[in-house]
Amino acid sequence: MKPNPYKNQLTTLKRKGSSDTEARIRNAALNLFTKKGIKGTTTREIATKAGIAEGTIYKHFKSKEELAVKLFLHCMDAFTTELLESIRELTDPRDKIAALIKSFFYFAKREPKIYSYIMVVHHTELGKVLKQIEPKPKDVFTQVIREGIQKGYFRKMDENLAAALVIGMMTRVILFYERGLITTSYTELISEVVEAAFRVLNETKSEYNI
Amino acid sequence: MKPNPYKNQLTTLKRKGSSDTEARIRNAALNLFTKKGIKGTTTREIATKAGIAEGTIYKHFKSKEELAVKLFLHCMDAFTTELLESIRELTDPRDKIAALIKSFFYFAKREPKIYSYIMVVHHTELGKVLKQIEPKPKDVFTQVIREGIQKGYFRKMDENLAAALVIGMMTRVILFYERGLITTSYTELISEVVEAAFRVLNETKSEYNI
Amino acid sequence: MKPNPYKNQLTTLKRKGSSDTEARIRNAALNLFTKKGIKGTTTREIATKAGIAEGTIYKHFKSKEELAVKLFLHCMDAFTTELLESIRELTDPRDKIAALIKSFFYFAKREPKIYSYIMVVHHTELGKVLKQIEPKPKDVFTQVIREGIQKGYFRKMDENLAAALVIGMMTRVILFYERGLITTSYTELISEVVEAAFRVLNETKSEYNI
Amino acid sequence: MKPNPYKNQLTTLKRKGSSDTEARIRNAALNLFTKKGIKGTTTREIATKAGIAEGTIYKHFKSKEELAVKLFLHCMDAFTTELLESIRELTDPRDKIAALIKSFFYFAKREPKIYSYIMVVHHTELGKVLKQIEPKPKDVFTQVIREGIQKGYFRKMDENLAAALVIGMMTRVILFYERGLITTSYTELISEVVEAAFRVLNETKSEYNI
DNA sequence: TATGAATGAGCATTCATTCAT
DNA sequence: GATGAATGAATGCTCATTCAT
């Protein structure tokens, strides 16, 4: 077994008690799945990239699909946890929304593979496991928006619709940024999206200063 | 060969001069690709669904990939054309934006498979052909937004960023709607998104009445 | 595809309407299954021996197991049919028993692979399909023995037990013969087993002359 | 390591000096081999059933095949020994035959796994080791029959043929009995087979009373 | 002696593609 | 153009075996 090149990279994916090998498999899979899709990635490739034997994958995961699913749950959990963490000490829903957006962008920047994998799975038949996950990032946004509406900070509207609007803006902006369609700096981008979010949510435009 | 069940359904996909068989293949492929992904669909399934022999596919397309690509180009073309058509007789950029959004939603509703296929391909390695397409839906939005900024109707901002915001809102709302996460009526949804778009684009909130 | 070396050998296994290829697969499988067992035979070996590509097997059989099962049903059918044929024009149960024994031995000699495959499957988990087959060789013997008892030619005893005794003698003698443990001529062997069978079945020893 | 569930069951398989672990492996293997065949049983299953680690098997046996072979030799030895023991104090070949048949049936009843494993191996490529074993059950029968012929108790015939006839009857009757095709009591069955054997062997029918 | 993670050759099966008819 | 049997490389997965602890 070659030295693990991921050893210091992605501790997020390494559960306590799980072996080094399992983390290597996860990371290799994550890299390949985001690059070539789940169906487009072979177990052989995963093993090679992880520096292990093909059979070893099956000592840790029942099947390629289980690997993909567990990886997805892991990624979702990491993402959701980070979002929740970002608003833990905040009370004002407006502060929370701003924090969530920043956190969302930061996560996409810091863990591009994880973020990317989550986006990819959404458009896959694996997407069905989504329904079993609770809470998901979407729920965090929905909850905060509902709270903001109740407290009178945001205008009255369907909170799921509102969440869709905000999440849509973020994901699309990040996608455009990644594809080089937007040259604005990442920091500036975040400000713009926060501004846009408040324009969409507030009773009147931008009454809340970021 | 069984009677073509798509004969009267999807003329959008039937080019002049192309045979009935080719249209059957396209439609079968479209249905399966959106349901199971491109990699997840076998040529055998396509042939069965199209009511033809497996080998016949290769009389019309060089490979499964070519089929997927041509189908994608077709879908993109149909989408872009419809968007362009919706603003052909309009002059005010604000009218155009409103029309584009409506058109976007209507297309997604009327041609869910085509719309869905376009969304799916984005998150696929096939997504690379995107760059060769000109113009794409995104370009239509960008162009109109640029025009609106130049004419002073929209606030100054990067037009690609603005397009990302608007497109993101639309696609995410449609996704939520399709997954049953939003129960608002489709018509109401369109109004909401138009309203949100103007909130994001206008100098001040909703000064433009839909 | 190489010329089929079995073309003129085993028409028993070639069903009308089934392709030459299918017969080649059947024959290759039969040879290998009897030699190395079902589990011990790989699809690659079957394909090689049949002079076809590995994938071709799956155009004719859903799986290796289906191949093994269908082959077994075929073999059983051929065997049973031949036994039934041998007594078609006979009426005296004693003649029938003698004819069945001869036919049993002749079949084992003329179609050693088929005979062998049937014997092998009996001691396999595939043996469960045995119960679904009707009638099997055993049933032919049981039926004739029952008839002989009813008509007073054979002594009163459980007909299944009697069939077990007769069949056991035949199969074991053939096994010993094949392994070179018995040097007696095949013809002589048949006489001996017929004699033995009547000793077992008759009221008194050998009252019936063969 | 879990408590050995076989500890008090099958001392036959536990050689002096061999560890408890080895006995556990033997017994687990015996159970699985008879149920699923040798090829059909994995070392992992054996280890699990034996309550040990997979690697431990290789501390006691060089390979799965060696395990199967040694197990077979063991089983054959146990069987042959028991047969020989049953005739140790007898002198009349007719008594010996009767005793052997009873012993054969009793063994099959008392040690069904061992008996079954011996039968299974016969139809396996492992069957080649049979030739190296001396003496085997068959030899015991052959020897006694030869003796009986020489002493004038049995009619003149090839002693191997005669052994095949007797052994065939026994094995087939046991097989039918195990599969529920014969409902006669086991004791009655033995009597019947002894009777049949003497009919086959004696100069004239049943002159020897059991 | 016992462990169990790791191995990697080998397996049954799939599937995009070809081609003689 | 259309067929569909045949192809064979590639895939996900298995499993007997090894070895550091």
Side-chain angles (χ1 to χ4, degrees):
Chain A
M1 194 170 22
K2 307 172 198 163
N4 184 348
Y6 298 109
K7 207 153 198 174
N8 300 315
Q9 182 197 331
L10 200 51
T11 49
T12 312
L13 285 180
K14 192 175 168 184
R15 295 180 312 192
K16 290 150 209 103
S18 71
S19 66
D20 173 62
T21 302
E22 191 167 323
R24 294 160 70 105
I25 296 171
R26 279 174 197 277
N27 279 292
L30 182 63
N31 274 281
L32 289 161
F33 286 167
T34 53
K35 208 176 296 164
K36 322 177 68 171
I38 296 170
K39 280 257 166 62
T41 300
T42 69
T43 51
R44 201 117 38 216
E45 287 172 309
I46 297 170
T48 301
K49 188 145 208 162
I52 53 147
E54 219 172 327
T56 303
I57 294 171
Y58 294 88
K59 293 285 176 189
H60 296 268
F61 303 94
K62 237 177 51 197
S63 64
K64 191 176 105 171
E65 185 177 342
E66 195 194 86
L67 167 56
V69 169
K70 286 199 172 171
L71 192 55
F72 179 59
L73 294 177
H74 239 263
C75 291
M76 283 296 271
D77 187 51
F79 195 12
T80 308
T81 300
E82 182 145 331
L83 291 178
L84 285 172
E85 185 61 24
S86 76
I87 57 170
R88 195 164 50 99
E89 300 184 339
L90 304 177
T91 50
D92 189 323
R94 294 167 297 185
D95 290 336
K96 288 185 181 175
I97 281 293
L100 284 178
I101 292 172
K102 279 176 203 164
S103 185
F104 198 102
F105 271 84
Y106 284 148
F107 188 86
K109 187 79 169 179
R110 182 164 42 77
E111 301 287 9
K113 302 284 164 143
I114 297 181
Y115 176 78
S116 187
Y117 184 53
I118 291 172
M119 293 298 124
V120 164
V121 168
H122 271 73
H123 296 272
T124 305
E125 49 187 338
L126 210 73
K128 67 202 172 200
V129 302
L130 251 178
K131 294 172 189 165
Q132 307 163 7
I133 303 176
E134 197 70 36
K136 353 182 202 299
K138 170 226 145 198
D139 299 316
V140 181
F141 278 89
T142 305
Q143 177 56 33
V144 169
I145 289 169
R146 178 188 300 126
E147 187 190 340
I149 294 172
Q150 284 170 346
K151 293 189 176 170
Y153 294 119
F154 302 149
R155 63 186 174 109
K156 285 198 176 72
M157 66 189 302
D158 184 299
E159 67 248 27
N160 285 302
L161 167 60
L165 294 170
V166 174
I167 293 171
M169 289 192 290
M170 289 187 298
T171 53
R172 211 66 178 190
V173 166
I174 291 170
L175 188 70
F176 273 40
Y177 178 79
E178 280 168 352
R179 300 210 172 156
L181 302 174
I182 304 177
T183 51
T184 316
S185 81
Y186 208 70
T187 319
E188 180 63 26
L189 233 42
I190 297 174
S191 299
E192 291 278 12
V193 174
V194 171
E195 158 74 14
F198 283 121
R199 281 166 168 263
V200 168
L201 296 173
N202 288 351
E203 195 61 57
T204 56
K205 174 195 161 287
S206 262
E207 64 185 7
Y208 171 82
N209 289 313
I210 313 158
Chain B
M1 199 179 1
K2 307 172 197 163
N4 184 346
Y6 297 110
K7 207 156 199 173
N8 300 315
Q9 183 198 330
L10 201 51
T11 49
T12 312
L13 285 181
K14 193 177 167 184
R15 295 181 313 194
K16 291 138 209 123
S18 71
S19 70
D20 173 62
T21 302
E22 190 167 324
R24 294 160 69 102
I25 295 171
R26 280 174 195 277
N27 279 291
L30 182 63
N31 273 280
L32 290 162
F33 285 168
T34 54
K35 210 176 295 165
K36 323 176 67 173
I38 297 171
K39 279 258 166 58
T41 300
T42 67
T43 51
R44 179 199 278 266
E45 286 172 310
I46 297 170
T48 301
K49 190 147 206 160
I52 54 152
E54 244 180 294
T56 305
I57 293 171
Y58 295 85
K59 293 288 172 197
H60 297 268
F61 303 94
K62 232 178 57 197
S63 66
K64 188 175 113 173
E65 186 177 342
E66 195 196 86
L67 166 56
V69 169
K70 285 198 173 172
L71 192 54
F72 179 58
L73 296 177
H74 237 264
C75 291
M76 283 297 270
D77 186 52
F79 196 12
T80 309
T81 301
E82 183 146 329
L83 291 179
L84 286 172
E85 184 62 23
S86 75
I87 57 169
R88 195 165 48 100
E89 299 183 339
L90 303 177
T91 49
D92 189 322
R94 294 167 297 184
D95 291 336
K96 287 185 182 176
I97 280 293
L100 283 177
I101 293 171
K102 281 176 201 163
S103 185
F104 198 102
F105 271 85
Y106 284 147
F107 187 86
K109 187 80 169 179
R110 183 164 41 77
E111 301 287 11
K113 302 284 162 139
I114 297 182
Y115 175 78
S116 187
Y117 184 52
I118 291 172
M119 292 300 122
V120 164
V121 168
H122 270 73
H123 295 273
T124 306
E125 49 187 337
L126 211 73
K128 69 204 169 196
V129 302
L130 253 178
K131 293 172 189 165
Q132 306 162 9
I133 302 176
E134 197 70 37
K136 2 182 198 296
K138 171 227 144 198
D139 299 317
V140 181
F141 278 87
T142 305
Q143 177 56 34
V144 169
I145 289 168
R146 179 187 300 124
E147 187 191 341
I149 294 172
Q150 285 169 348
K151 294 191 174 168
Y153 293 117
F154 301 149
R155 65 187 173 105
K156 286 201 177 67
M157 66 189 303
D158 182 299
E159 65 249 27
N160 285 303
L161 168 59
L165 294 170
V166 174
I167 293 171
M169 289 193 290
M170 290 188 298
T171 53
R172 211 66 179 192
V173 165
I174 291 170
L175 188 71
F176 272 41
Y177 178 80
E178 281 169 350
R179 301 209 170 156
L181 301 175
I182 304 178
T183 50
T184 316
S185 80
Y186 207 69
T187 319
E188 180 62 26
L189 233 43
I190 297 175
S191 299
E192 291 278 13
V193 174
V194 171
E195 159 73 14
F198 283 122
R199 280 168 170 262
V200 168
L201 295 173
N202 288 351
E203 193 62 57
T204 58
K205 172 195 163 287
S206 260
E207 63 185 9
Y208 171 83
N209 289 312
I210 310 159
Chain C
M1 196 171 23
K2 306 173 197 164
N4 184 347
Y6 297 109
K7 206 153 199 174
N8 300 316
Q9 182 197 330
L10 200 50
T11 48
T12 312
L13 284 182
K14 192 177 167 184
R15 295 180 313 192
K16 290 150 210 107
S18 72
S19 67
D20 173 62
T21 302
E22 191 166 323
R24 294 160 69 105
I25 296 171
R26 279 174 197 277
N27 279 292
L30 183 63
N31 273 280
L32 290 161
F33 284 168
T34 54
K35 208 176 296 163
K36 323 177 67 172
I38 297 170
K39 280 257 167 59
T41 300
T42 68
T43 51
R44 205 185 287 279
E45 287 173 309
I46 297 171
T48 301
K49 190 146 206 159
I52 53 148
E54 222 173 324
T56 303
I57 294 171
Y58 295 87
K59 292 286 175 189
H60 296 268
F61 303 93
K62 237 177 52 198
S63 64
K64 192 177 105 170
E65 186 177 340
E66 195 195 87
L67 167 56
V69 169
K70 286 199 172 170
L71 193 55
F72 179 58
L73 295 177
H74 239 262
C75 291
M76 282 297 271
D77 187 52
F79 196 11
T80 308
T81 300
E82 183 144 330
L83 290 179
L84 285 172
E85 185 61 24
S86 75
I87 57 168
R88 195 164 50 99
E89 299 185 338
L90 304 176
T91 50
D92 189 321
R94 294 167 298 184
D95 291 336
K96 287 185 182 177
I97 281 293
L100 284 178
I101 293 171
K102 281 176 202 161
S103 186
F104 198 102
F105 272 85
Y106 284 147
F107 187 86
K109 187 79 169 179
R110 183 164 40 79
E111 301 288 9
K113 301 285 164 145
I114 296 181
Y115 175 79
S116 187
Y117 184 52
I118 291 172
M119 293 298 124
V120 165
V121 168
H122 270 72
H123 295 273
T124 306
E125 50 187 338
L126 211 72
K128 67 201 171 199
V129 302
L130 252 178
K131 294 172 188 164
Q132 306 162 8
I133 302 177
E134 197 69 37
K136 354 183 202 298
K138 169 225 145 198
D139 298 316
V140 181
F141 279 88
T142 304
Q143 176 56 33
V144 169
I145 289 169
R146 178 187 301 125
E147 188 191 340
I149 294 171
Q150 284 171 347
K151 293 191 175 167
Y153 293 118
F154 302 148
R155 64 187 173 106
K156 284 198 177 71
M157 66 189 304
D158 184 301
E159 66 248 26
N160 286 302
L161 168 59
L165 294 169
V166 174
I167 293 170
M169 289 193 291
M170 291 188 296
T171 52
R172 211 64 178 190
V173 166
I174 291 170
L175 189 70
F176 273 41
Y177 178 79
E178 280 169 352
R179 301 211 171 156
L181 301 174
I182 305 177
T183 51
T184 318
S185 81
Y186 208 69
T187 319
E188 181 61 27
L189 233 42
I190 297 175
S191 300
E192 290 279 14
V193 174
V194 171
E195 159 73 13
F198 283 121
R199 282 168 169 261
V200 168
L201 295 174
N202 288 351
E203 196 60 59
T204 57
K205 175 196 160 289
S206 261
E207 64 184 8
Y208 171 81
N209 288 314
I210 311 161
Chain D
M1 198 174 10
K2 307 173 197 161
N4 184 347
Y6 297 110
K7 205 152 198 175
N8 300 315
Q9 183 197 330
L10 199 51
T11 48
T12 313
L13 285 180
K14 191 174 168 185
R15 296 180 311 195
K16 292 141 210 118
S18 71
S19 68
D20 173 63
T21 301
E22 189 166 325
R24 294 160 70 102
I25 295 171
R26 280 174 196 278
N27 279 292
L30 182 63
N31 273 279
L32 290 162
F33 286 168
T34 54
K35 209 176 294 164
K36 323 177 67 173
I38 297 170
K39 279 257 166 59
T41 300
T42 67
T43 50
R44 178 200 278 267
E45 286 173 310
I46 296 170
T48 301
K49 190 148 205 160
I52 53 151
E54 245 180 294
T56 305
I57 294 171
Y58 294 86
K59 293 288 171 197
H60 297 267
F61 303 94
K62 230 179 57 198
S63 65
K64 188 176 114 173
E65 186 177 341
E66 195 196 85
L67 167 56
V69 169
K70 286 199 172 171
L71 192 54
F72 180 58
L73 295 176
H74 238 263
C75 291
M76 284 296 271
D77 186 52
F79 196 11
T80 308
T81 300
E82 183 146 330
L83 290 179
L84 285 171
E85 185 60 23
S86 75
I87 57 170
R88 195 163 50 100
E89 300 184 339
L90 303 177
T91 49
D92 188 323
R94 294 168 296 184
D95 291 336
K96 288 184 181 176
I97 281 293
L100 283 178
I101 292 171
K102 281 176 202 162
S103 186
F104 198 101
F105 271 85
Y106 285 147
F107 188 85
K109 188 79 168 179
R110 184 164 40 77
E111 301 287 10
K113 301 285 162 138
I114 297 181
Y115 175 78
S116 188
Y117 184 53
I118 291 172
M119 293 298 124
V120 164
V121 169
H122 271 72
H123 296 272
T124 306
E125 49 186 339
L126 210 73
K128 68 204 171 198
V129 302
L130 253 177
K131 294 172 189 165
Q132 307 161 8
I133 303 176
E134 197 70 36
K136 0 182 197 297
K138 171 226 144 197
D139 299 316
V140 181
F141 278 87
T142 305
Q143 177 55 34
V144 169
I145 289 169
R146 178 188 300 125
E147 188 190 340
I149 294 171
Q150 284 169 350
K151 294 189 174 168
Y153 294 118
F154 301 148
R155 65 188 172 104
K156 287 201 176 68
M157 65 189 305
D158 183 301
E159 66 249 26
N160 285 302
L161 169 58
L165 294 169
V166 175
I167 293 171
M169 289 192 291
M170 290 188 296
T171 53
R172 211 65 177 189
V173 166
I174 292 170
L175 188 70
F176 272 42
Y177 179 80
E178 280 169 352
R179 300 209 172 159
L181 301 174
I182 304 176
T183 52
T184 316
S185 81
Y186 208 69
T187 319
E188 180 63 26
L189 232 42
I190 297 175
S191 300
E192 290 278 13
V193 173
V194 171
E195 159 74 13
F198 283 121
R199 281 168 168 262
V200 167
L201 295 174
N202 288 351
E203 196 60 60
T204 57
K205 174 195 162 286
S206 260
E207 62 184 10
Y208 172 83
N209 289 314
I210 311 159

